[in-house]
Structures are given as structure tokens and as C-alpha cells.
Amino acid sequence: MEASGKLLSSRLLSLLKNGQWGHDDVVKLFKALVEQCNGRNEDFHTWMMRILHQVEIHKISVSDLTSNDSNIVDQVEEEINKIAKNTDEKTLDEIMKEICEQAVIDEEMMAQVKDIVSSVSKCLSYSTAPHLQGIKESLFKLCKAVEKTVKYKPRLTQMVSWCILVLSKSSRLVQVGTGEGKSCIVAMFAAYQAMMGNTPDIISSSPVLAKRDAEEWSAFYKRLNITVDVNTNKSEDKELKKCYECQVVYGTTDSFAGDFLRQRFHRKDVRPNREFQCVIVDEVDSLMLDKGLEVVYLNSNMPLMETLNGLLAEIWFVINQLKRLDSGEILGPIRLLSQILSEIMHEHKNTYKVSFVQNAVDEAKQLDNASSAETEAFLTMFVRNFPEYSFKLYQEGPDGNLEKLNEISPRGTTKKQAISVLLLGNGKCRLVYYEDSLVKSLGKMINKYLQYESKGEQHESCIPGFRDLIDGKLQTWIENALQATKMTVGHEYIFHGDGVVPVDYKCTGIVQNNMRWGEGLQQFLEMKHQTKLSNMSLITNFMSNVGLFKKYKNIYGITGTLGDQTELDMLKKLYNGNETCKIPSFRRRKLYELEGLVIAEEDEWIRTVCNVVKHQVTSTVYRGPRAALVICETINRAEIFHKTLADTISKDKLKLYVNNNMDNSKIIYNKVQAGDVIIATNLAGRGTDLKVSESVNEAGGLFVVQTFLPLNVRVEQQAFGRTARQGSPGSAQIIMCASHFSDSVKLVMSLNTSFTSLFSHLNRLTTLMSRLTSILMPRGSTEGLFEEAVNHYLKHNSFQSHKAMVSALTGLLTMKSFPCMESNLEKAKDARNILVNIRLSGFLEKDIPKITKKEDIFSVYLEILNGVYEDDVFSDQRDVIVSSLHECWGLWLLMNSSEEKPTETMKEQLKLDLSSAKRKLLCKQSPSSMVYYYIRSGNNLREKGHLTESIEMFTKALGDGICWEIIPLYNRALATIKKKDIGYIARALADLQRADMAIDSYKSHLAQILTYVKSSSQEPKVDGDTLLSKQFRVKYMIVDLLKMNIQDSVIKLKRVESRGGNVRLSEKHTVFLAEDLILSPVRVLIELLVEFEHIRSLGLDNIYSLDTIFSFSGFLSNMFK
């Protein structure tokens, strides 16, 4: 099969567009190839395409093929093949020259680097080098250890990188290209730090990479007698302590920050003596820039947060009744107009006479069956009596949008609250909201639903109470409920285990198993899909990535992409003048970037990407089949491509790599073979090293398609860094869909249109030239003319035909190289870069100061906590007091974190508030309206035998609503029975009977939550129970078991009360409530244990059973009453 002339012209144009060749250079190369092709038996097109393909995939430049007289060398084919086969590494002089050319760098240090590397590299063929001293001796020792254990000698670029890190007087960030052996540099530098007596921490971007590198380099460290471990897979405190006793520890920001919090906040003995000496950060740009604001916190089990589930379910119910119209309005839930008017009137019961308000409310109820005219008449009367309000009445039009009926407004009043109402008939209506006022309006409406007056209670210690929490956070919860309705599974999150887990789709593609959203968003997503419902977290401890890095005296970082100058400058400001340096690749990089495409419609975009991929993995006359990596923004889009390509790509060749919870070993560790297509998210970007087979490299290497606009240039470079590694060939292309651009990118692109008006003139000029060309060349396009000229030359092989062919090529290249208006791809990238700079500016000016302020305040709380642990005055009830202080601190932070007060002012306020809280706790009083301190304290006192005080604590815990009285009543009955004073039977019996009633109320509360969530579901109906239903069934099961326990005790107490006598009490662990369910399925038992642990955290430490003891004297006493 012969290659067509069309393919030949496209290859030559590709050199012009993508290979950075000038059109004159392309013409020179073509003429030289034509001359060399003469006299060959091989098909002209096939031979020409094969040679041009070699030029493309090996990224051969015009200078590589030019002689001293600026002409193409004579034996051009031989020269191209020679360059293609060349695998020589760069010399030390070439490496040093490239480093020194990139920026201003310390010349004295670079001279030292060159001397060290030069001296050591000459000795590596020997087993010893006794003449080497100091750093040279250390480098030699490290290089030999690498050679003996990993079976290769460190390259010159790796040795140079190591020297720059070692010789840096301050912290240093180094850019080492993808595939250039960063893990070797990290291991060698960490080993050197250990040899110098330091304890370096190595932070990787994922636990998988941390574990992989620790295992791969363990033999290297062992040979040097350096201990090493990884902290990401340790569950026991003893294991962690042993890990941190090692000289070198690998891990992630999550694990290092979490272990610090375990040591300082939870007082676990996990890293008692390890200092923050130096840190080596792999993928430093991702962790310091993209994830700099990521915060790690350890879950604090706060019983009070379960109380909020009912309110969150109610918010979710309301949000899912909203209806958005095409015209922009938002319709509220369907309600009775009379109910809305009644609520308004009740707001004014303190302004108007109660009798007047009550009469108006009674009249409003008549609207339930009123006509439109009667409704308007009533509202006219209403605004006369309540002139603060006006009404805009609407009906639904044929197109579903609103049609205005009337506007009813009081006369002579300028300040009034306008209420827009869509009338539905039969007294029903929907309030009409607008986006800018939606959250505030819904907050007012939901507040009216609540069964208390929304006024924060004042406490001496200024610790917020439950009502303060709701009043302060209601609008935030509503905003997050709205956000949850817009989020999509397979995009921002996936299902994992029994719940919802975030996906870092913008940067790494990693499924973040240990992360949860805060401020109710996690719970709303769980309600959305009816998975297991977790309790909202009250954050009491935290550490950001920025806070973690700033703890270290020296920061050393390595990455394949440090970013542009703006990002580098920001890193220097943030981390005390960190110096940066870019290390060149050890071989010439052969990445060939094809011209990017922006496709308007999604269907056409999918077809384009699939066609490009199929072309690359299909063999042609000039190359064999390649392999392709398609990187998608989200899991959903990856699955679309996987499904579409499954029609033409065989199952064994098509692979999906989107979830780090799945077994991806075959993709990561097996060589990529010819014809393979990997569909992935950013999970296949940063840190993934795909091994490519020799046949794929011979055909042009791995072909990478980026199918979306990356978050920044660094994410883009990381994706393209999966190919053309270690001197192998490879190519990449961006193919994006315009409809997928974010709203912010679209906005910036539209604003930038005016700045590109100059290009529009050039575009019009180009169009004019095209028209002139079509008149002068009526036989067809410039491509067609070139193809005809080539065919004519091949037939006649004359001077004239050669001249015409070259002329046609010159015309083709001239037309295609003429400047035109900026492409949509360039506009999108420019818009993206503008947004990156805005984000970085906000990062430095707003976000960092905000998180730093919170961490400074947290450090004050840690000092207060230290005082509690060191002061003997708290020893009697330290655990109870610490739990309550955590609760107070968490509430204080939640309510004050948005304050604009200076940091020092807030620190002093926290000290005052918590000092007051401690005084109250020492006096056995709760610092806020929360009752859980009393329950914890009551249990503690009962265990110590202080039964009278224990009963007092449980008594104080009562009064927070019947749903929450179960545990204090049950526990007070226990303490009462144990005390056995006069009348104890009657008092215990009364408590248990009240607890029995409270259980019924609690079950109604659970049923209401379940009803709200189920009725709000927008998901398709599925057969069988949802995870939420199963979870609530277990909750019902446990409270029913407790109810049976209570009723059994009630029966026995009544028996004793009627017959006289006493009771014998047996206490057991709470889990023994379910001792009859021991043969249940394993899953049910696990869920039971989880729920039992939860009710223990609420204060139900033990259950008890009673046996009656007959008393003859008691029997006689009862008879003679």
C-alpha cells in the first residue's frame, strides 16, 4: 500500500506547525530528501513518510541536519538514522552549561558541583577511592551503594542534583524532569542527611508512592546502615513510635501532620523525640501550591453533632423542593398562602395587639378555598394592616415561566418588603426567589420551622451553645445543600465502602479515602444517594500543608514541574526565600507536541479524540502501531471514552485507570504494548511511570491525549511527562471541548476578546489572501496543487517539474504559516493562566494568612491543653474535662473562625473564654448549654462510687428535649439503684418509665429523618434497601433492644414495689444488649458494633439487668400500708 500525497503534505506541514521548523528549512529538507530518493526502487511516498516520521518522533531540528554552510547535509537519511539511534547521555560540561544559562545562579557553588561530580564520576569504575574526602567521599559511597543494590550507576544529572541540594546554604527546590530518576536523588540526599546525624522526613504525593519508594530503596539504606520506614500503613501507636525512631521516614502530608496531632492533641506516644529537622518533598509543586491549603484533622467524636442530623435532613428536604425556571427565578416549596401570612403576622405579635394578630390569622385560614379575586382582596386588606409588606402575584404561563397577575402595595410607604408569590389554586402557592437572595430567604423560612426562638444564649464563658451554632451556621449549611445538588458522582466524588469519598480530579485524580467534606456538605451528599449517614464533624485539631512545611528548619523539594516565574516567586515568599534550580534531562528530550484542538460540541469532541487515538494505535506503511494514553478530567468522561472505544479496540488492549482503590498493577507495572489504549484521569499523570515496549518506541513512543484544559501549566506538563521519558520518543496533543470550559474561563475569554482586536485585522487579511489564491489557483487547494506537482514530478522527473513541485510546496507552507487570529486553545490557556495568577494572589494575600491565623490560635489551645494535663487540680476528672474542653474549643472556633479581629486579640479572647470554661468545669458545671459534660461526669463519678454527685450530674443533663433524655434517665436510674437509699425503687422506676417514653420519641425523630431523605431523592428507584435504610434499621434495632432492657427492669421494679424487697443489679458492656444476635450475618454484627460504639460515645457506658430479692419485712411493710 502506497502512502498518499495528502499524508505527505500533512507531515511537512506538521514540521512547520509542531516541529518548530521554518518554511524555508522544510523546503530545504524536502529538496535534500528528493535528491537522495532519486534512483531508489522504493515507493517515493512511503520512503519520504518514513524519513519524515523519524524526524518528527525524534524531534530532530534543522540545526541537527545543517552543515557549516547552512545547507542540509548530503547524506540526510544516514544523518537522521544516526540521530535516531543515538542514546548518548549529555556530558558534564553540557549539563553545567544548560543550568548556568537558565538563570542567575551561584557561580562558586556551580564550580564546586562540577569539581565534585567530575572527581567522583572518574572513580566509579573502581571499588574504592581512598583519596576522596568530605562531600566527594560521601557521594562516592552513596553512588556505590546505589550500584550494588539498585544495579545501576547514578547518572551525571542525578549527581549534579544531589550536589546542588547538599551545597545549598538555605532550602532548595529542584526541578528534575519526569522519568529522570527523582527517587534516586531523594534517597541519596536523605541518606546523606542521615549520615550527617539528621532525621530527614520524605513526603510523597500519595501513600502508594511513599510505600513504593521506601520498599524499592530499603536495600540501599540497609547497605549504609541507615534505618528506614514508612508511616502511611501503621495503625498501632507502638508501630508508629518504632517508625519514627528510624533515621529516614517516608510518608505523606496526611500521615506526618496526623501523627503530629496524635502526639500533641490526643497525647499519643507516637513521635515523642523526633524533631522537624529537614524535609524532602517529592512533587513539591503539587503539595506546596495545589494542595498548600489542604488541612488534615483527626476526627473528634462529638455527640452533640448527631443532634444536627434532623435539621440537615430538613434543609435537604426544602432544597429538593425548589424548582428553577428557565427565566432565572427559583420557586420555593409548595405551601399554603395562609400559613405564610400567619408566620408574617406572628413575627409582629409584639408590635400589634395579640387579639388583632389572632383574628387576622383566623381570617387568613379562609384563603385555603378562596378564588383569585378573594385572595387579592384579602392581600389588599393585609397590606393596609401590615404596611411593611407588598405582594407581587404571578401565575404559571404556557411555557412554564411566570406571568404577572397583579402587584399589591400599601400607599404612602416607601420602605417595604416585597413578597413574590406564584398562585397555584386551592390556597396553595410557591414563593418566588432570586439567586442573590435565595440563601438568606431560605434561612429565614427554615428558622421559622424550628421549634425554638432563634436567639443565641449568653454564657459567662462566651462558649457558644447549640442554638448559637445553628444560628451562626444555618446559611452555610443551606449553601452547601445547594452545592450538593450540583455535584456529580464520578466527577467530584465516588462511592467507596458505605459512603461518599472525594476525588481530587483537578490535580492528581486520587480518590481521597481518608478525607471528608465539612460544614454539612458530606452529609448532604450522603442523603442525596442514601448511603450511610455520618455525623458532621466538629473540627478541634488541624494542620495545613503550609503549616506542616513551615515547621521544618530546612525544606528541600524535587518535582518535574516547578511552574512559571509567578509560582516560583510565590514559593520564595511563602517559604523564606527558597532558591530554585532546573536540572536538564540526561538525554535530549524527544517530546513532539501536536497542534491542540478545541472542539465546540461534545459529540464531535468524543469522535475526534477516538479517531485520533485509533489512528495512532493502527499501523501505517511508515510505522507500526503505537500505544495511547487518554487523560480525562473526570471518571465519568473516562468511562464515556472507554465505552466508545470498546466498539473498535479489543478488550485486552483497552484499559481503564481511574480509581486508586482498584488493582491497577497490570497497568502500572506491565509494559505498554503496541495497540494498547489506557483511558485514565489525572491519576495516570503525576508520579506514574509507564514502561513502554521497544516496538512502541520504534513506532514513535506513547501518544498522550489531554482531553481537557488542565488546572495550570504544571498539571499539563505532568500529563505530557508520561511520554518521551529517558530519551525515548513520544508525542502529545490537547483536544478539548469548549462546552467543558469553566464559567470563569469563559468569562475571562470573553473579556479578553477586545485585546485581540488586532488579530481580527490580520484574520481578515488572511481571508482576503485566501480568496485571491482561490482565483489565481482555480484547480483546487494548495495541498491539492502540491500533490499534483509531486505526481507530475514522479512521472517526468524533469528540471521544470522539480521546480514546480518545490514552488507548490513553498506556496503551501507560506499560506499555512501566515499569522491569523489567536486560536481558541491559546485564548483558553491565556484565560486559565490569568485565573491561576488571580488564585495565587489570593492564596498569598488571603488564604495563607487565614489558615496561619487559625493555626496560631490552635497553638494557644494546645498550650492550654498542656496546662490541663500538667496541673494536678484536674487529675480527678481529667478525661471528662479534656473531652468537654475539646467540645468548647471546637464550638468557639466554629463560631469565631470568620472573625476579622487581629490574631493577638483572638488569642487573648480564647484564653479568657477557656479560662472561664475551666473554672466552671472544676465547679462541675457545663461551660455551655451542652449537656454531654454532665453525662460524662456522672458516669465518671458513678464509677468512683460518688453516687449522690453522679445523680446530681445526670439531673443537670436532663431538660434538653425528650429525644435526648434517654441516656441521663437510664444512667440516673442505675446510680439510684446502686445507692439504694430510701425510696430508690420508686425513683428508679419513674426514670426508667420516662426513658421508655423518650425512646418512642427518639424513634419518631429517626423516622422523620428517613422520611425527609427518602422523599427528597432525585435518584432512580432501586430494588432492595438503601445503605441508609439498613443503617437506620440497625439504629432501630439497638434502641428496641434498649427498650426491652428497660421494660424488663420496669417489670421487676414494679414487682418489688408491690411485694416489697430489693433488687440485685448486674452491669455489662453495652454490646451485651445484642447477645441474642450473635448468630446474625457478619455485616449486621459489624454495623451493630459501630452503632454500639456510637451510643457509648453518647454516654451509655453500660447496661444493667435486675433480679428481685424477696424481703419478708418488706412484704409485711407493703401489706400494712
Side-chain angles (χ1 to χ4, degrees):
M1 177 184 172
E2 294 185 356
S4 69
K6 189 174 182 180
L7 280 174
L8 176 59
S9 62
S10 69
R11 289 269 70 78
L12 292 166
L13 284 170
S14 180
L15 288 180
L16 180 70
K17 292 180 179 179
N18 309 313
Q20 298 175 341
W21 284 59
H23 62 84
D24 291 339
D25 298 324
V26 175
V27 172
K28 284 181 184 179
L29 175 63
F30 179 72
K31 288 168 68 176
L33 291 174
V34 169
E35 184 178 343
Q36 192 163 358
C37 185
N38 287 336
R40 289 175 176 270
N41 293 325
E42 193 173 356
D43 174 70
F44 172 84
H45 287 98
T46 303
W47 180 83
M48 187 72 74
M49 291 292 292
R50 186 167 64 249
I51 297 300
L52 290 174
H53 180 63
Q54 292 296 311
V55 173
E56 180 180 302
I57 67 171
H58 293 288
K59 206 171 183 182
I60 298 172
S61 65
V62 63
S63 60
D64 295 324
L65 302 177
T66 306
S67 59
N68 292 333
D69 59 359
S70 299
N71 290 319
I72 299 294
V73 295
D74 293 334
Q75 300 299 318
V76 65
E77 181 186 14
E78 287 78 0
E79 189 64 26
I80 288 170
N81 289 334
K82 179 182 174 183
I83 294 170
K85 292 176 182 177
N86 181 21
T87 58
D88 290 347
E89 297 185 12
K90 294 175 184 175
T91 65
L92 180 59
D93 287 337
E94 289 172 329
I95 293 166
M96 300 304 293
K97 182 182 177 184
E98 285 189 50
I99 293 173
C100 293
E101 284 175 349
Q102 64 174 269
V104 178
I105 197 158
D106 187 338
E107 292 182 6
E108 183 181 343
M109 185 185 76
M110 293 312 295
Q112 282 183 275
V113 170
K114 185 174 181 180
D115 175 52
I116 294 167
V117 174
S118 176
S119 300
V120 173
S121 61
K122 291 174 184 176
C123 301
L124 289 181
S125 56
Y126 304 103
S127 59
T128 60
H131 62 286
L132 297 177
Q133 300 294 321
I135 294 176
K136 293 179 182 179
E137 181 184 11
S138 298
L139 178 56
F140 178 81
K141 185 177 181 181
L142 292 167
C143 288
K144 297 308 289 186
V146 171
E147 185 181 352
K148 291 291 185 183
T149 56
V150 193
K151 307 304 179 187
Y152 66 77
K153 293 179 181 178
R155 305 182 192 106
L156 291 175
T157 50
Q158 292 170 318
M159 295 164 69
V160 167
S161 302
W162 180 89
C163 284
I164 290 173
L165 291 171
V166 168
L167 294 172
S168 296
K169 295 175 183 177
S170 63
S171 300
R172 172 76 67 168
L173 309 182
V174 175
Q175 177 171 303
V176 178
T178 55
E180 297 284 317
K182 294 193 295 292
S183 60
C184 176
I185 301 167
V186 168
M188 289 174 63
F189 184 61
Y192 175 77
Q193 289 289 338
M195 288 158 63
M196 296 297 104
N198 295 323
T199 52
D201 294 336
I202 301 173
I203 298 183
S204 297
S205 58
S206 78
V208 175
L209 295 176
K211 185 172 182 290
R212 181 199 71 185
D213 289 347
E215 289 174 353
E216 284 185 4
W217 291 92
S218 61
F220 163 78
Y221 289 113
K222 187 176 181 180
R223 187 174 182 84
L224 296 167
N225 294 317
I226 295 171
T227 53
V228 63
D229 205 344
V230 60
N231 65 13
T232 58
N233 55 358
K234 307 289 188 292
S235 56
E236 300 293 329
D237 293 348
K238 288 181 180 178
E239 288 181 311
L240 275 171
K241 186 175 182 180
K242 186 178 178 182
C243 170
Y244 282 107
E245 287 170 352
C246 292
Q247 293 162 280
V248 177
V249 177
Y250 282 78
T252 61
T253 49
D254 294 0
S255 52
F256 280 108
D259 293 339
F260 167 80
L261 294 172
R262 286 181 186 90
Q263 180 73 34
R264 291 294 312 277
F265 184 80
H266 283 322
R267 318 299 286 194
K268 304 287 186 181
D269 189 28
V270 293
R271 51 169 302 160
N273 303 315
R274 193 177 187 88
E275 297 179 9
F276 290 93
Q277 290 182 335
C278 86
V279 63
I280 307 165
V281 188
D282 194 6
E283 307 296 359
V284 65
D285 63 306
S286 175
L287 294 174
M288 286 188 171
L289 290 174
D290 302 328
K291 297 186 176 183
L293 294 177
E294 255 187 26
V295 176
V296 174
Y297 62 88
L298 302 182
N299 188 40
S300 296
N301 202 342
M302 295 290 170
L304 68 98
M305 303 309 279
E306 189 198 17
T307 317
L308 294 170
N309 286 343
L311 176 57
L312 295 181
E314 196 166 346
I315 292 170
W316 184 244
F317 177 71
V318 169
I319 293 298
N320 280 278
Q321 291 182 80
L322 300 179
K323 181 181 179 182
R324 293 179 181 270
L325 302 180
D326 295 337
S327 50
E329 298 92 346
I330 304 163
L331 303 180
I334 297 174
R335 301 178 66 196
L336 290 170
L337 179 59
S338 60
Q339 182 185 359
I340 294 170
L341 296 176
S342 297
E343 290 171 358
I344 293 172
M345 289 184 279
H346 276 297
E347 286 181 8
H348 294 277
K349 64 184 179 183
N350 295 327
T351 306
Y352 300 91
K353 290 182 179 179
V354 175
S355 58
F356 169 76
V357 172
Q358 188 58 52
N359 288 336
V361 168
D362 292 339
E363 288 182 31
K365 292 177 182 177
Q366 298 174 15
L367 290 174
D368 293 354
N369 297 304
S371 65
S372 296
E374 289 171 329
T375 299
E376 290 186 31
F378 182 86
L379 291 176
T380 302
M381 178 274 293
F382 181 91
V383 297
R384 282 201 300 268
N385 292 316
F386 296 91
E388 300 92 337
Y389 297 93
S390 68
F391 291 88
K392 292 180 182 179
L393 303 182
Y394 296 90
Q395 67 181 7
E396 188 173 355
D399 60 353
N401 289 321
L402 301 181
E403 288 183 355
K404 191 171 181 179
L405 286 174
N406 196 4
E407 184 168 349
I408 302 172
S409 181
R411 294 177 181 177
T413 306
T414 54
K415 292 184 179 180
K416 51 185 179 291
Q417 182 180 338
I419 300 173
S420 298
V421 181
L422 170 64
L423 299 177
L424 300 174
N426 297 321
K428 294 180 181 178
C429 70
R430 282 179 182 264
L431 291 178
V432 181
Y433 301 114
Y434 299 90
E435 198 70 54
D436 57 350
S437 60
L438 177 64
V439 172
K440 189 174 181 181
S441 300
L442 289 178
K444 286 184 67 177
M445 183 181 75
I446 292 170
N447 241 329
K448 290 171 186 174
Y449 287 172
L450 301 178
Q451 295 179 354
Y452 65 85
E453 293 183 2
S454 181
K455 294 178 182 178
E457 297 178 358
Q458 297 298 316
H459 309 288
E460 182 190 335
S461 63
C462 297
I463 300 299
F466 189 61
R467 297 180 182 181
D468 303 308
L469 174 62
I470 293 175
D471 291 340
K473 286 296 174 180
L474 184 58
Q475 286 198 18
T476 301
W477 296 334
I478 292 170
E479 287 168 358
N480 282 336
L482 290 166
Q483 178 63 25
T485 63
K486 300 171 186 175
M487 294 170 71
T488 312
V489 64
H491 190 145
E492 297 94 343
Y493 62 93
I494 65 165
F495 301 127
H496 179 63
D498 291 334
V500 169
V501 181
V503 178
D504 177 26
Y505 72 96
K506 288 185 178 179
C507 295
T508 64
I510 290 173
V511 178
Q512 299 170 303
N513 297 318
N514 296 321
M515 294 190 69
R516 298 293 181 270
W517 284 286
E519 305 276 32
L521 181 55
Q522 179 75 28
Q523 287 66 39
F524 292 129
L525 289 171
E526 291 164 351
M527 291 178 190
K528 180 177 182 177
H529 299 287
Q530 295 187 49
T531 64
K532 288 185 73 171
L533 182 61
S534 62
N535 293 332
M536 204 173 357
S537 295
L538 183 65
I539 296 175
T540 57
N541 61 91
F542 47 88
M543 178 177 280
S544 68
N545 286 0
V546 169
L548 174 65
F549 293 136
K550 285 194 169 186
K551 283 190 170 295
Y552 289 94
K553 297 173 185 174
N554 290 299
I555 302 172
Y556 301 94
I558 298 182
T559 183
T561 48
L562 272 177
D564 60 19
Q565 194 57 48
T566 305
E567 292 171 315
L568 293 176
D569 291 343
M570 205 209 74
L571 284 172
K572 288 180 182 179
K573 290 177 183 176
L574 193 55
Y575 297 104
N576 300 324
N578 253 328
E579 294 299 321
T580 59
C581 178
K582 295 183 180 180
I583 307 298
S585 58
F586 73 97
R587 290 192 185 116
R588 65 181 290 163
R589 186 132 194 257
K590 298 178 180 179
L591 176 64
Y592 190 79
E593 292 188 38
L594 279 71
E595 186 177 24
L597 300 173
V598 177
I599 311 298
E601 300 298 328
E602 185 171 275
D603 289 346
E604 182 60 27
W605 167 70
I606 293 170
R607 280 194 296 273
T608 302
V609 172
C610 291
N611 288 338
V612 166
V613 169
K614 285 184 280 188
H615 171 69
Q616 292 293 340
V617 299
T618 305
S619 61
T620 68
V621 293
Y622 58 88
R623 63 158 173 81
R626 300 174 66 183
L629 170 64
V630 183
I631 299 183
C632 306
E633 185 173 22
T634 69
I635 294 173
N636 285 342
R637 289 177 187 154
E639 289 174 344
I640 289 171
F641 281 117
H642 187 266
K643 183 179 179 180
T644 306
L645 285 167
D647 295 334
T648 52
I649 306 292
S650 63
K651 187 177 180 181
D652 62 312
K653 291 290 185 182
L654 192 59
K655 301 172 176 66
L656 191 63
Y657 181 35
V658 295
N659 190 336
N660 45 286
N661 290 322
M662 298 168 65
D663 181 9
N664 299 302
S665 56
K666 290 183 179 178
I667 298 173
I668 298 171
Y669 299 117
N670 291 357
K671 279 193 174 183
V672 180
Q673 301 295 333
D676 283 354
V677 177
I678 301 171
I679 312 292
T681 59
N682 273 330
L683 191 62
R686 189 181 295 273
T688 301
D689 184 10
L690 296 173
K691 305 292 190 292
V692 179
S693 68
E694 189 58 36
S695 65
V696 171
N697 277 332
E698 288 174 359
L702 181 67
F703 179 73
V704 175
V705 188
Q706 182 97 26
T707 65
F708 62 97
L709 181 66
L711 180 67
N712 51 50
V713 174
R714 291 175 291 102
V715 175
E716 183 179 321
Q717 290 172 343
Q718 284 288 346
F720 285 7
R722 297 318 99 199
T723 188
R725 297 162 75 89
Q726 300 183 8
S728 298
S731 54
Q733 185 176 21
I734 291 183
I735 305 176
M736 298 184 292
C737 181
S739 64
H740 294 167
F741 292 159
S742 66
D743 291 339
S744 52
V745 167
K746 290 176 183 175
L747 176 63
V748 175
M749 286 176 71
S750 66
L751 293 174
N752 277 351
T753 301
S754 59
F755 300 126
T756 58
S757 58
L758 176 62
F759 289 105
S760 64
H761 298 297
L762 293 171
N763 191 49
R764 284 196 290 271
L765 181 59
T766 304
T767 304
L768 178 61
M769 286 188 67
S770 297
R771 289 175 180 172
L772 288 171
T773 303
S774 65
I775 295 170
L776 294 172
M777 295 182 286
R779 289 173 294 171
S781 67
T782 51
E783 288 94 334
L785 287 173
F786 174 63
E787 290 161 19
E788 288 181 18
V790 170
N791 291 331
H792 187 71
Y793 169 76
L794 293 175
K795 285 181 181 178
H796 302 285
N797 196 8
S798 64
F799 173 77
Q800 290 298 327
S801 61
H802 183 276
K803 184 178 178 181
M805 178 175 65
V806 171
S807 176
L809 176 61
T810 302
L812 170 64
L813 296 172
T814 301
M815 285 299 299
K816 297 298 181 180
S817 63
F818 197 87
C820 59
M821 192 167 71
E822 187 180 26
S823 71
N824 282 334
L825 177 64
E826 291 167 330
K827 285 183 183 178
K829 285 188 175 183
D830 288 345
R832 185 266 314 273
N833 294 340
I834 289 170
L835 291 169
V836 166
N837 289 337
I838 293 171
R839 191 160 52 242
L840 287 174
S841 175
F843 185 79
L844 199 60
E845 295 171 11
K846 296 180 181 178
D847 299 330
I848 295 298
K850 185 177 179 181
I851 191 64
T852 301
K853 180 179 181 179
K854 283 182 70 174
E855 290 183 328
D856 285 347
I857 295 169
F858 178 48
S859 68
V860 171
Y861 179 67
L862 288 177
E863 291 172 10
I864 293 170
L865 201 58
N866 283 340
V868 172
Y869 277 98
E870 291 167 4
D871 194 336
D872 290 339
V873 73
F874 297 102
S875 60
D876 187 44
Q877 280 198 314
R878 183 171 286 129
D879 290 344
V880 172
I881 288 172
V882 165
S883 296
S884 298
L885 275 181
H886 287 346
E887 199 172 82
C888 294
W889 151 244
L891 287 167
W892 189 96
L893 180 68
L894 193 66
M895 299 303 296
N896 291 281
S897 58
S898 59
E899 289 281 343
E900 298 298 327
K901 296 176 185 175
T903 304
E904 291 305 315
T905 303
M906 293 188 70
K907 283 182 178 180
E908 291 304 314
Q909 186 63 51
L910 177 64
K911 289 177 183 176
L912 286 172
D913 291 345
L914 289 187
S915 177
S916 173
K918 286 191 292 182
R919 286 196 300 272
K920 281 199 164 192
L921 288 167
L922 284 172
C923 295
K924 293 185 171 56
Q925 293 182 356
S926 176
S928 75
S929 62
M930 300 304 170
V931 301
Y932 296 99
Y933 161 71
Y934 294 124
I935 297 174
R936 296 186 200 105
S937 182
N939 287 340
N940 181 274
L941 291 165
R942 187 190 71 235
E943 288 170 5
K944 293 179 177 178
H946 305 313
L947 298 176
T948 301
E949 292 172 274
S950 173
I951 291 169
E952 289 175 3
M953 289 292 107
F954 292 130
T955 301
K956 289 179 179 180
L958 294 170
D960 193 37
I962 196 166
C963 287
W964 319 116
E965 290 183 343
I966 304 167
I967 291 173
L969 285 167
Y970 186 83
N971 287 354
R972 187 169 70 173
L974 170 60
T976 301
I977 292 169
K978 292 185 78 168
K979 190 180 179 188
K980 290 190 175 180
D981 57 352
I982 297 172
Y984 82 94
I985 296 290
R987 292 197 301 276
L989 180 59
D991 280 350
L992 289 175
Q993 287 174 326
R994 279 180 64 189
D996 188 29
M997 292 172 56
I999 284 179
D1000 293 332
S1001 182
Y1002 177 65
K1003 288 176 68 175
S1004 297
H1005 168 75
L1006 291 178
Q1008 184 66 65
I1009 293 174
L1010 205 53
T1011 301
Y1012 275 143
V1013 174
K1014 285 185 173 182
S1015 59
S1016 304
S1017 177
Q1018 307 293 326
E1019 300 291 305
K1021 298 292 183 183
V1022 294
D1023 294 333
D1025 285 341
T1026 63
L1027 289 170
L1028 182 69
S1029 296
K1030 291 177 181 176
Q1031 179 191 19
F1032 272 56
R1033 188 179 301 129
V1034 172
K1035 287 180 179 290
Y1036 287 135
M1037 193 183 299
I1038 288 178
V1039 293
D1040 282 340
L1041 289 169
L1042 181 59
K1043 189 178 181 72
M1044 288 169 60
N1045 173 272
I1046 290 172
Q1047 289 175 342
D1048 180 68
S1049 296
V1050 166
I1051 290 169
K1052 290 174 180 175
L1053 287 171
K1054 282 183 175 179
R1055 186 184 302 157
V1056 169
E1057 188 178 44
S1058 63
R1059 298 179 182 178
N1062 286 307
V1063 291
R1064 183 187 299 113
L1065 183 145
S1066 300
E1067 290 185 68
K1068 295 180 182 178
H1069 189 285
T1070 311
V1071 75
F1072 281 94
L1073 269 177
E1075 59 185 330
D1076 293 335
L1077 302 176
I1078 193 67
L1079 298 178
S1080 299
V1082 174
R1083 181 181 175 85
V1084 173
L1085 291 175
I1086 292 171
E1087 291 176 351
L1088 281 168
L1089 287 173
V1090 170
E1091 289 300 327
F1092 275 126
E1093 193 59 36
H1094 172 63
I1095 64 169
R1096 279 178 61 81
S1097 73
L1098 296 175
L1100 191 67
D1101 288 353
N1102 295 310
I1103 58 158
Y1104 49 91
S1105 58
L1106 303 177
D1107 289 316
T1108 58
I1109 304 172
F1110 179 73
S1111 168
F1112 186 72
S1113 59
F1115 175 72
L1116 290 177
S1117 176
N1118 275 343
M1119 283 186 65
F1120 291 107
K1121 275 184 180 178

